[in-house]
Amino acid sequence: MEKEDARSRSRRLLGDEGLARLAGAHVAVIGLGGVGASCAEALVRGGVGRFLFVDKDAVELSNINRQAIAFLSTVGRRKVDVMRAMAADINPDAQVQVLDAMLLEESIEELLAPFGAFDFMVDAVDTLTAKAAIARYAEARGIPLVSSMGMANRSDPTKLAFADLFETQGCPFCREMRKIARSRGIGRMQVLYSIERPAKVQPEPGAHRRERTELGTHSYMPPIAGQMMAGYAMQQLLAQGRARAAEG
């Protein structure tokens, strides 16, 4: 019997050629919260070979209920550092660069320029204007992108779906995102969103608006969304590789 290794189960589905395509891919995962950290973990486990991880935050105690990088032992550490260490522990051959920053319209080009071209970008940030900046950057360069919409106050993972932003229905977060996207001239934007109506949660008395205490999150919803986005990204990367092979 052939000796199993870390890629044996993936190899049975993808073959050596498919694994090579993923190993040669360069993916930016922007935002390492509940969605982004699980997406990044799945991409590393899947064999993607080059990464840029972007986040400006440190792990907090409140992250433990849903974020793949959040443990009592990692509270206070930079998320990009924890994610880089996790990636190295999964696949030491993966090439990982990190950026401890928030990507804004006025800074995104300067911040991303040193990292070269990407084969795919994952947007898992929670700020609408930052999402628009990422979408414009990707669209201008022809980089495939998938963007997560709001997962807070949702309970049913079977209500998650991929769609173009301008074809989404019933999602308040998508509605606001569409307004900003139109104002920025964004033509299309592939998103993962929920068709479930968000639950109403009352903010804690005396809490500042920026604390967003009206947002609750199940332990499973953001990680499931992240895994779905990883699956989407890997299928797109494999399709890119097949198309390039056919052209060659």
Side-chain angles (χ1 to χ4, degrees):
M1 180 180 295
E2 183 180 350
K3 185 178 179 180
E4 299 240 317
D5 59 32
R7 297 283 172 263
S8 296
R9 300 302 176 95
S10 297
R11 187 176 295 108
R12 291 170 189 169
L13 284 173
L14 304 176
D16 289 329
E17 186 177 351
L19 288 178
R21 288 171 183 161
L22 293 176
H26 189 194
V27 176
V29 181
I30 305 166
L32 297 173
V35 176
S38 286
C39 181
E41 179 189 3
L43 291 170
V44 175
R45 292 188 186 280
V48 171
R50 294 178 61 204
F51 291 96
L52 172 66
F53 297 142
V54 183
D55 201 293
K56 69 175 183 63
D57 293 330
V59 178
E60 298 180 358
L61 197 61
S62 62
N63 301 154
I64 287 177
N65 86 313
R66 66 197 182 282
Q67 297 188 12
I69 55 175
F71 301 87
L72 291 176
S73 61
T74 62
V75 169
R77 292 177 57 191
R78 296 195 311 173
K79 289 184 177 181
V80 290
D81 293 335
V82 179
M83 193 70 246
R84 176 164 50 188
M86 179 184 285
D89 203 19
I90 295 168
N91 179 13
D93 294 327
Q95 300 175 43
V96 176
Q97 295 177 289
V98 300
L99 177 60
D100 184 24
M102 185 173 183
L103 301 184
L104 303 174
E105 289 177 296
E106 62 270 21
S107 62
I108 185 169
E109 294 196 18
E110 180 182 356
L111 288 171
L112 292 185
F115 300 100
F118 302 107
D119 297 298
F120 200 92
M121 297 180 72
V122 174
D123 157 30
V125 302
D126 55 11
T127 306
L128 292 169
T129 52
K131 286 184 176 296
I134 295 164
R136 285 187 67 188
Y137 182 93
E139 187 171 68
R141 290 158 179 79
I143 304 170
L145 167 75
V146 66
S147 178
S148 66
M149 298 291 104
M151 299 298 152
N153 296 353
R154 267 84 170 192
S155 301
D156 188 351
T158 68
K159 297 296 193 296
L160 293 171
F162 290 101
D164 186 275
L165 174 67
F166 298 101
E167 297 175 359
T168 58
Q169 297 180 351
C171 173
F173 193 97
C174 290
R175 186 183 312 121
E176 294 303 311
M177 189 68 238
R178 283 196 297 272
K179 295 176 185 176
I180 294 175
R182 289 192 184 100
S183 72
R184 304 299 196 275
I186 296 168
R188 66 182 305 277
M189 188 173 171
Q190 187 72 6
V191 303
L192 177 66
Y193 80 111
S194 175
I195 62 174
E196 178 185 5
R197 185 180 297 275
K200 292 187 180 298
V201 177
Q202 293 299 317
E204 294 180 8
H208 294 290
R209 179 171 176 78
R210 65 176 179 274
E211 296 178 291
R212 304 309 301 270
T213 58
E214 80 282 7
L215 299 179
T217 316
H218 284 293
S219 63
Y220 55 86
M221 281 296 290
I224 289 173
Q227 294 277 334
M228 290 178 67
M229 292 174 73
Y232 180 89
M234 288 175 65
Q235 291 302 310
Q236 293 293 309
L237 291 168
L238 290 166
Q240 287 178 27
R242 288 191 293 268
R244 288 168 185 161
E247 291 172 359

